[in-house]
Amino acid sequence: MSGLAALAALPAIWVGRDADYVLETLLDALLSALKADFVCVTLEGPKPKSRIRGRSGVTPAHDQLLRALAGTFGDDKSAWPPAGEISVGADAISILSAPMGLQGEVGVVVAGTRRRDFDDETGGLLLGAAANQAALALQAVRRLDEQKQIASDLDERVAQRTAELARANEALRFAARESREIVDNIPTLVGLLSPTGQVELVNRQIHEYTGRSTEELEKWGMSDLVHQDDLADALDSFVAGFAAGEPFEIVYRMRRHDGIYRWFEGLHHPLKDAEGRVVRWCVSCNDIEDRKQVEDALRERERTWRSVINGIPGLTATLSPRGMVEAVNRQIVEYTGCELEALRGWGSNGIVHPEDMPHVAEIFGKSIAAGASYEIEQRLRRFDGEYRWFSNRGTPAFDASGQVVRWYVLLVDIHEARLVADALRSSEDNARSIVSSIAGMIAVFTADGQLCGGNQQLLDFFEQPLEEVGRWATNGMTHPDDLQYCIDSFMGSIVSGEPYNYETRFKRADGVWRWFNIRGQPLRDASGQIARWYGLLTDIDDRKRAEEALEVSERNLQLTVDTIPALAWSARIDGTADFFNRHYLEYVGKTPEELGGWAWTAAVHPDDIARLGATWNLARETGGNAECEARLLGADGAYRWFIFRANPLLDDAGNVLKWYGINTDIEDRKRAEESLRLSEASLAEAQRLSSLGSFQWRLDTDELTFSDELYRIFEFDTAEPATLEQIAARVDPDDLPLLTEKMELARVGIDDHSYDIRLRMPDGRTKHLRSVSRSGTESDGRRVFRGTIQDVTQRKLSEEALNELRTELAHVSRVSTLGAMTASIAHEVNQPLAGIITNASTCLRMLAMDPPNIEGALETARRSIRDGNRAAEVITRLRAMFRKTTNTSETVDLNEAARDVIVLAGSELRRKRVELETNLASDLPPVMGDRVQLQQVILNLLLNAADAVTDIRDRPRRAMLKTSEDEDGNVRLTVQDNGGGIDPSSSTKLFDAFYTTKASGMGIGLSVSRSIIERHGGRIWASANDGPGASFSFAVPRSPKGYNGGDATAYSAHTQLRPQGEGQ
Amino acid sequence: MTKRLLVTVVDDDESVRESLPDLLKVLGYSVQAFSSAAAFLGSADIENNDCLILDVAMPEMTGPELSVELRRRGYRIPVVFITAHRDYSVPPLVPGQDAVQCLLKPFSEAALIAALDTAIPRN
């Protein structure tokens, strides 16, 4: 390879060099390229030469070789065979030979070796190519030498002539004729031109060649003398050259007398005087037709050769023995974008990667110093600035004395291979540990695809030995659906050398198929041949499933967006909308065009637009989520409430890219909220109006929840949660035991409490509360006590006032009743008074008699005392009836009470001539109540009965009072009359206030009677008799047995609540 | 000695029937007492009465009714009504007729004597 490179580099380094150089470098290159024992070059022509170079010990003597060659192949070197065998001394030597020049006119190149297999195509081709290149170069060298010689001779002679002309005018003309003779005899075409280009003199050869006269020649620029194709260039060069005044040459085809054009090389040389002015131009035209043909042939072959060389993926260069870049091939220039001069600065100008430079410099330096081949991998900068990895190999060429005469350098692009190798090397560095520990499975294949290694993960996955895994294509561990694809992908890469990357399913040891991503990279050896394939198997099953799910989800995305029960939209960062889902469009009944930009705001309720806009603007300023409730006008013309929610889509830097929003219909919720709000408001209002608060008491934590109204009732600070201690401090100390008892009952699970309790407010006010509560269970199972507490202070006060009023009324009623009986009562009192006074008078007169009637006086005195007592009894009864009593509770014997009333009313009844029959039950149980009030009722009934019979004229006026105990254990009293009876339709109104059937009277008697009886827990009613008249009855409960008249409430003392501040 | 004047008391109230006759006797009158009008009418010597003291408010037959009945039967006996009912309607006392005066219980001894003196002129 390096020899080839050296050969390829030869023409570039031969330009402008002499024949010796050409020969030396040719020998070096061939010896290196052909792996020959020796190479010999023999030149023909004016300066015949022959050189030999070879490895010592195997190189025959030069003259001995030449003799053997001539002896074997003949003297005509051009007839020598391309390959053959000769004997030099006792040695049989294989020979390759190539002529230089078409007929070997330049010389011959011979390479020889003792090896038998020397005769190969490559060697012959190389040798032939080298010979051709050398021939071209040597011919150029030779021509150059000739031309130099001619020019040199002419210069010399013209100078002599000029000097002579200057010395002697006469002699000059003679000399010119003589020089004419000389010029005419020069075996080439020569002419002299004036400084302006006019033909002054042409030699005979010109006339003979062209067949034209001097005059005709002068018009060469307008004739067919110069080939039409070359004329323009020739004229340009001619004009330019004359203007420059320096030697120049023009190559063109010149027409021979017979019409044939031949290639000539016109060398123009200026003749200058002492002042340096051009006085003449000497033109020599050399026929180069033959050479041109050779050159064309050689160029053609060289083009072929070049294409071969350029086809080699390498960059070649030659270096001097000291390492200086001497020449580079086209690829280097193309690759680096640098010309030779720049390339020579590779040590410092960055063409070699700076990181690689120390390494390169070291290896290169050592190699140059030692004259030993080197091989470096380094990065080389491409014309576009990218560094690529190259294999840089340098081989020295030695001369016969073993001195390095030249370095041949080949640079091969190994970039891809290097990357792979790097990757593989880095993984191989810690192969055992890393390969085993990486998550993926590693498989190593030979160049032809046979599995030759794998990490533990690989074996563990299949739970199979390596050999079995290697039969992946046939043993069923690859999914049947993927198998053909796998084989195609894998084998395709094995054949092409390209990395492979595909996905397939493998059956795990437990029979589960799992998706894998398989990536393979070839590892190439130094020669670029694939040594191994490294495969990485990555379990992508989860990802695959996610992808499949994603695919499904994406497929459903549009469907989803359109079917989600909400209005979905998106907006650009400036807030203008650019998407609406189907629901949105259907709801507002518009097209996307009608809603786009800001047009969507037209559907927002006017009252909500400002708030929504503010929220939206704020969200866009801050990039945060937005949420706002607003009404949207539907296609049906009705507004519905929606909650607008918008979220920004952010890029990695947190900038908003887009907005996505969902409007959810909350109309129902809104309505529910509204009704809830109304309901809560009305509940609060109701609580406030009814002074009714509600509470909840967690039995486990004693946590209390009070309604607002309850806070007001207790006059607690709403800012702080109510506590049991606060409550205890408010409760009237007299009622604290009651509260304690009720709470204790609640704690032990006794349900359903209803009781009244009093609060003592800090300013001394008393509040009456009624509590109704019941235990319940929270959803979490905890027991709670819920209830209501009503401030009944007003009611209590009202009741008390009413009671007072009733008492007052009863009293008034009683007084008025008694007032109506004044005459009767007065009669009742006056009767005994009359007796007393009469007796007293009698007594005095009996004592005043002479003798005093003592016995009579005593009798009258006794009667006075009796009547006095009788009057006092009446007064006592009356005083009781007139007394204004509050409700007292005592045991009352209704029979006794009735008798007293009969005594009081007796005279009234007598006056009205009502016969009263009494039928009082014996063993009548006592009742609990207010005696006077009960008597008032009895009196009322009696007087009513008397009134009822007043109008009776045709029969005795009768009334009957009877007492009894009824079947319910109540004590009943009935007053029956034989009067006009009652109208059944009015029986229910009889007890209403101000209802009366009498001409006189206010109609409050029965009403008061009813309220009295009801206060005693009884009832009062009227009924018609079987015969004439009516019966009025009342029944009141008998007093409980053993009733002691005290307060029967007993207290439990399990929990004694203490007001705050009382200490522990 | 002159014959004692006969005064009859009719009253349903026992204490009057006990106390008034004793006083009338101390004052020098002969006295009869009846508890009702019917009892008086059923007695033997109505015509011997010089004066009747009748309670106004009595069951069955009131004092004034008795007075009317006696006149209907042809008796002309002076009557002094007594009553504990101040507002009780008493027939008008017509001079020359039977009724002399109506005394309200309790009445004083002097009022009684004056009424009797009016009813029975002493000479």
Side-chain angles (χ1 to χ4, degrees):
Chain A
M1 187 61 71
S2 59
L4 194 60
L7 283 176
L10 287 174
I13 63 174
W14 283 339
V15 175
R17 296 307 187 112
D18 60 17
D20 286 343
Y21 182 83
V22 172
L23 285 186
E24 292 298 326
T25 53
L26 180 63
L27 288 171
D28 289 342
L30 285 176
L31 193 62
S32 168
L34 295 177
K35 296 173 185 164
D37 289 348
F38 61 89
V39 178
C40 178
V41 180
T42 303
L43 293 184
E44 302 293 326
K47 297 177 182 173
K49 288 182 183 172
S50 185
R51 299 280 177 81
I52 187 168
R53 176 156 300 155
R55 288 199 283 272
S56 57
V58 293
T59 304
H62 194 184
D63 52 348
Q64 196 179 2
L65 174 67
L66 292 177
R67 277 198 303 276
L69 285 168
T72 306
F73 301 135
D75 288 332
D76 184 1
K77 296 184 175 67
S78 64
W80 287 0
E85 196 170 302
I86 59 171
S87 297
V88 179
D91 298 325
I93 298 174
S94 292
I95 292 295
L96 288 176
S97 78
M100 300 169 73
L102 284 178
Q103 272 77 44
E105 69 273 19
V106 179
V108 66
V109 181
V110 174
T113 179
R114 285 176 168 73
R115 286 184 284 122
R116 292 278 173 183
D117 58 350
F118 194 40
D119 178 16
D120 60 48
E121 205 174 318
T122 308
L125 187 63
L126 281 173
L127 194 64
N132 279 323
Q133 287 180 317
L136 281 173
L138 289 168
Q139 280 184 327
V141 169
R142 188 180 298 169
R143 265 197 320 282
L144 198 60
D145 288 348
E146 288 172 354
Q147 286 160 5
K148 281 178 181 170
Q149 189 58 52
I150 291 170
S152 171
D153 290 350
L154 277 173
D155 282 352
E156 199 174 325
R157 298 183 67 166
V158 168
Q160 284 175 357
R161 296 293 292 177
T162 304
E164 285 172 8
L165 282 171
R167 279 195 303 270
N169 266 337
E170 286 301 314
L172 183 62
R173 217 168 272 122
F174 181 77
R177 192 160 58 245
E178 200 167 334
S179 82
R180 172 67 186 252
E181 291 289 318
I182 296 167
V183 169
D184 282 346
N185 290 299
I186 289 175
T188 185
L189 310 186
V190 175
L192 279 176
L193 304 180
S194 72
T196 58
Q198 288 170 314
V199 177
E200 290 188 344
L201 176 69
V202 293
N203 71 353
R204 185 172 43 86
Q205 280 80 353
I206 290 181
H207 289 299
E208 286 176 359
Y209 177 82
T210 62
R212 301 187 188 210
S213 66
T214 303
E215 290 73 28
E216 289 170 328
L217 289 172
E218 274 211 23
K219 297 169 185 163
W220 64 272
M222 291 175 290
S223 69
D224 57 357
L225 183 66
V226 175
H227 194 284
Q228 206 65 28
D229 293 346
D230 304 333
L231 184 58
D233 284 345
L235 284 171
D236 287 349
S237 300
F238 189 82
V239 172
F242 265 60
E246 293 298 325
F248 66 93
E249 58 179 62
I250 308 175
V251 176
Y252 51 85
R253 279 161 288 184
M254 190 156 62
R255 182 182 166 118
R256 206 164 61 184
H257 57 85
D258 56 1
I260 292 173
Y261 285 94
R262 289 181 66 86
W263 280 99
F264 279 82
E265 185 179 55
L267 302 172
H268 298 66
H269 202 89
L271 305 179
K272 298 180 180 177
D273 62 12
E275 284 77 34
R277 287 174 304 199
V278 176
V279 292
R280 291 286 187 283
W281 286 92
C282 178
V283 181
S284 64
C285 298
N286 301 310
D287 187 335
I288 57 169
E289 179 66 25
D290 296 338
R291 193 191 88 195
K292 195 80 177 176
Q293 284 180 7
V294 171
E295 280 181 355
D296 285 349
L298 286 173
R299 273 202 193 91
E300 183 58 34
R301 293 180 69 171
E302 189 195 353
R303 237 190 329 271
T304 307
W305 165 244
R306 277 267 172 198
S307 70
V308 172
I309 295 297
N310 290 343
I312 296 171
L315 315 181
T316 58
T318 57
L319 311 180
S320 73
R322 308 287 296 170
M324 170 67 76
V325 178
E326 291 183 332
V328 296
N329 73 344
R330 181 175 53 80
Q331 281 93 331
I332 288 188
V333 174
E334 286 178 355
Y335 175 83
T336 60
C338 296
E339 296 299 335
L340 182 61
E341 279 307 312
L343 291 169
R344 282 183 172 151
W346 61 269
S348 59
N349 61 8
I351 289 175
V352 174
H353 195 287
E355 288 180 10
D356 301 336
M357 200 56 219
H359 176 64
V360 171
E362 181 190 352
I363 301 292
F364 185 77
K366 284 182 182 170
S367 180
I368 295 296
S373 297
Y374 68 84
E375 181 173 342
I376 312 171
E377 291 194 357
Q378 63 169 90
R379 280 162 289 183
L380 204 58
R381 189 177 64 198
R382 200 162 62 185
F383 63 91
D384 59 1
E386 182 185 332
Y387 284 97
R388 293 180 65 82
W389 282 97
F390 277 82
S391 163
N392 175 359
R393 280 179 246 191
T395 306
F398 301 94
D399 63 9
S401 64
Q403 290 297 307
V404 173
V405 291
R406 195 157 292 100
W407 289 87
Y408 297 96
V409 174
L410 178 68
L411 297 156
V412 179
D413 188 332
I414 57 164
H415 193 70
E416 307 299 337
R418 169 67 188 233
L419 291 184
V420 175
D422 277 353
L424 290 173
R425 190 179 301 120
S426 64
S427 68
E428 282 174 358
D429 282 345
N430 294 310
R432 292 289 175 264
S433 58
I434 293 177
V435 168
S436 296
S437 63
I438 59 173
M441 307 180 338
I442 301 287
V444 185
F445 299 91
T446 61
D448 59 357
Q450 295 300 310
L451 184 68
C452 59
N455 67 350
Q456 194 57 43
Q457 280 85 338
L458 182 72
L459 305 181
D460 287 348
F461 180 83
F462 293 110
E463 290 184 13
Q464 296 285 349
L466 192 63
E467 302 75 50
E468 188 60 32
V469 176
R471 287 189 276 275
W472 58 271
T474 55
N475 61 5
M477 63 173 53
T478 304
H479 196 283
D481 294 348
D482 306 335
L483 185 58
Q484 194 55 50
Y485 168 68
C486 281
I487 292 173
D488 291 349
S489 301
F490 183 73
M491 292 315 293
S493 285
I494 294 298
V495 171
S496 70
E498 293 295 317
Y500 57 86
N501 183 350
Y502 59 92
E503 293 178 357
T504 184
R505 281 162 286 184
F506 285 130
K507 187 195 285 181
R508 203 163 57 190
D510 59 5
V512 174
W513 292 104
R514 290 189 72 82
W515 278 101
F516 277 86
N517 171 255
I518 320 286
R519 289 167 189 269
Q521 287 279 8
L523 174 68
R524 295 174 187 273
D525 61 15
S527 66
Q529 293 294 310
I530 292 173
R532 287 282 186 275
W533 284 91
Y534 281 84
L536 176 65
L537 292 72
T538 310
D539 188 330
I540 56 162
D541 200 63
D542 295 337
R543 194 198 78 198
K544 196 80 178 175
R545 291 186 196 286
E547 280 176 359
E548 285 171 0
L550 186 64
E551 193 181 333
V552 172
S553 95
E554 279 175 354
R555 202 162 51 236
N556 290 331
L557 191 59
Q558 182 64 36
L559 192 62
T560 305
V561 167
D562 272 342
T563 53
I564 52 172
L567 311 188
W569 51 269
S570 67
R572 292 178 278 264
I573 52 176
D574 64 354
T576 57
D578 59 0
F579 168 77
F580 300 92
N581 75 343
R582 190 167 53 81
H583 275 298
Y584 204 128
L585 301 175
E586 285 175 0
Y587 175 75
V588 297
K590 292 187 186 303
T591 66
E593 293 71 31
E594 290 173 320
L595 285 175
W598 289 103
W600 59 273
T601 55
V604 179
H605 194 287
D607 293 347
D608 302 336
I609 189 72
R611 186 162 37 83
L612 183 64
T615 306
W616 184 217
N617 287 335
L618 180 66
R620 286 194 292 111
E621 282 169 20
T622 61
N625 293 350
E627 183 170 321
C628 185
E629 293 182 2
R631 283 160 286 183
L632 264 185
L633 182 63
D636 58 359
Y639 281 100
R640 289 181 72 83
W641 278 99
F642 284 84
I643 183 162
F644 287 61
R645 286 199 181 93
N647 290 355
L649 175 67
L650 305 176
D651 63 13
D652 292 340
N655 299 313
V656 175
L657 299 176
K658 206 169 174 56
W659 288 90
Y660 291 97
I662 286 282
N663 300 352
T664 309
D665 189 332
I666 54 165
E667 180 70 18
D668 295 340
R669 196 199 82 196
K670 204 77 181 173
R671 284 188 181 161
E673 278 179 1
E674 180 64 14
S675 73
L676 180 63
R677 196 180 61 73
L678 286 175
S679 142
E680 281 177 347
S682 56
L683 178 62
E685 181 71 4
Q687 289 205 352
R688 199 176 63 74
L689 287 175
S690 61
S691 297
L692 182 77
S694 53
F695 69 91
Q696 177 170 294
W697 172 30
R698 286 187 184 282
L699 293 176
D700 53 350
T701 62
D702 278 348
E703 187 182 343
L704 285 173
T705 308
F706 270 33
S707 73
D708 291 347
E709 183 58 23
L710 200 49
Y711 275 102
R712 268 195 290 277
I713 290 172
F714 275 86
E715 298 180 17
F716 285 161
D717 181 3
T718 53
E720 295 172 12
T723 63
L724 293 175
E725 289 72 22
Q726 280 183 309
I727 294 172
R730 277 278 193 275
V731 169
D732 188 305
D734 291 345
D735 286 352
L736 200 52
L738 172 64
L739 177 67
T740 308
E741 176 212 0
K742 293 295 182 184
M743 287 178 60
E744 186 61 29
L745 291 177
R747 284 192 195 281
V748 301
I750 293 174
D751 209 350
D752 210 2
H753 299 259
S754 175
Y755 56 94
D756 290 352
I757 198 163
R758 285 168 298 177
L759 298 186
R760 175 70 54 82
M761 306 314 290
D763 58 4
R765 281 175 295 132
T766 294
K767 283 192 177 187
H768 296 269
L769 305 186
R770 169 152 302 156
S771 170
V772 178
S773 49
R774 178 172 296 134
S775 70
T777 306
E778 287 279 72
S779 56
D780 56 10
R782 297 201 291 180
R783 286 191 58 235
V784 294
F785 219 64
R786 293 195 193 87
T788 59
I789 291 177
Q790 188 171 19
D791 183 350
V792 294
T793 307
Q794 284 304 316
R795 192 200 293 176
K796 207 84 175 178
L797 293 176
S798 299
E799 279 178 1
E800 284 177 359
L802 183 61
N803 273 337
E804 209 170 310
L805 204 61
R806 280 188 184 129
T807 306
E808 190 75 23
L809 185 62
H811 179 245
V812 169
S813 164
R814 205 157 59 234
V815 168
S816 77
T817 303
L818 292 171
M821 289 166 59
T822 302
S824 304
I825 292 168
H827 175 259
E828 242 8 79
V829 176
N830 287 339
Q831 211 71 290
L833 280 180
I836 290 166
I837 288 170
T838 303
N839 283 323
S841 296
T842 306
C843 181
L844 287 173
R845 284 191 179 271
M846 285 178 170
L847 291 174
M849 283 193 301
D850 187 18
N853 184 353
I854 298 301
E855 195 178 336
L858 286 175
E859 177 60 26
T860 55
R862 275 197 296 273
R863 290 206 294 260
S864 290
I865 292 167
R866 185 198 67 193
D867 288 348
N869 287 339
R870 182 182 151 197
E873 277 179 32
V874 172
I875 296 301
T876 301
R877 287 194 189 98
L878 273 175
R879 188 181 290 142
M881 291 295 277
F882 275 99
R883 198 179 65 214
K884 194 161 136 185
T885 60
T886 54
N887 304 322
T888 59
S889 192
E890 57 190 329
T891 52
V892 177
D893 181 347
L894 267 191
N895 285 345
E896 261 182 40
R899 279 189 207 104
D900 279 353
V901 172
I902 291 167
V903 168
L904 264 180
S907 65
E908 179 75 4
L909 294 174
R910 277 195 299 277
R911 192 169 66 87
K912 292 182 174 173
R913 305 198 195 164
V914 178
E915 295 173 23
L916 177 67
E917 183 188 348
T918 58
N919 185 359
L920 303 181
S922 56
D923 299 331
L924 193 69
V927 299
M928 282 297 296
D930 186 317
R931 178 188 180 91
V932 172
Q933 291 186 354
L934 290 172
Q935 284 180 322
Q936 180 179 356
V937 175
I938 298 169
L939 180 62
N940 267 326
L941 297 184
L942 274 178
L943 294 180
N944 280 342
D947 287 343
V949 297
T950 304
D951 294 337
I952 294 177
R953 298 278 183 260
D954 57 342
R955 60 179 186 273
R957 301 166 179 172
R958 289 203 177 96
M960 184 174 72
L961 188 155
K962 60 179 179 186
T963 57
S964 61
E965 182 181 6
D966 69 11
E967 55 273 18
D968 297 329
N970 296 322
V971 177
R972 182 184 295 184
L973 184 148
T974 301
V975 176
Q976 188 179 334
D977 68 66
N978 64 344
I982 51 173
D983 181 355
S985 66
S986 65
S987 62
T988 54
K989 297 187 209 161
L990 287 172
F991 299 94
D992 292 346
F994 307 113
Y995 180 84
T996 181
T997 56
K998 301 177 196 169
S1000 64
M1002 287 175 64
I1004 59 170
L1006 283 175
S1007 164
V1008 170
S1009 297
R1010 183 177 67 173
S1011 72
I1012 289 172
I1013 294 302
E1014 287 178 351
R1015 226 177 304 156
H1016 282 76
R1019 64 189 186 97
I1020 185 168
W1021 70 96
S1023 57
N1025 293 337
D1026 291 340
S1031 295
F1032 284 78
S1033 310
F1034 68 82
V1036 289
R1038 53 177 293 177
S1039 68
K1041 277 180 182 165
Y1043 180 66
N1044 61 10
D1047 194 329
T1049 310
Y1051 297 120
S1052 161
H1054 294 302
T1055 308
Q1056 280 288 352
L1057 283 175
R1058 292 179 186 281
Q1060 281 179 327
E1062 266 194 20
Q1064 299 297 310
Chain B
M1 164 147 195
T2 58
K3 180 186 174 253
R4 288 183 172 228
L5 295 172
L6 177 61
V7 176
T8 295
V9 175
V10 181
D11 198 323
D12 60 338
D13 187 86
E14 190 188 359
S15 68
V16 173
R17 283 204 311 276
E18 286 176 348
S19 59
L20 193 53
D22 281 353
L23 180 59
L24 288 171
K25 284 174 189 167
V26 171
L27 289 175
Y29 295 101
S30 291
V31 183
Q32 293 184 115
F34 296 94
S35 65
S36 70
F40 171 68
L41 289 173
S43 64
D45 48 354
I46 296 174
E47 59 203 42
N48 293 332
N49 280 291
D50 296 297
C51 186
L52 299 176
I53 297 176
L54 304 179
D55 184 29
V56 174
M58 288 186 293
E60 308 292 337
M61 183 180 280
T62 66
E65 285 167 349
L66 177 58
S67 161
V68 171
E69 178 61 23
L70 288 174
R71 196 179 299 137
R72 191 185 59 78
R73 293 188 185 186
Y75 299 105
R76 291 292 185 268
I77 306 169
V79 176
V80 174
F81 290 111
I82 57 173
T83 181
H85 296 280
R86 291 180 190 280
D87 58 343
Y88 211 92
S89 57
V90 174
L93 298 174
V94 180
Q97 296 247 342
D98 307 332
V100 174
Q101 202 163 358
C102 182
L103 297 177
L104 292 175
K105 298 178 187 174
F107 46 83
S108 65
E109 182 193 73
L112 178 67
I113 291 169
L116 286 173
D117 286 349
T118 305
I120 311 164
R122 300 266 172 167
N123 53 358

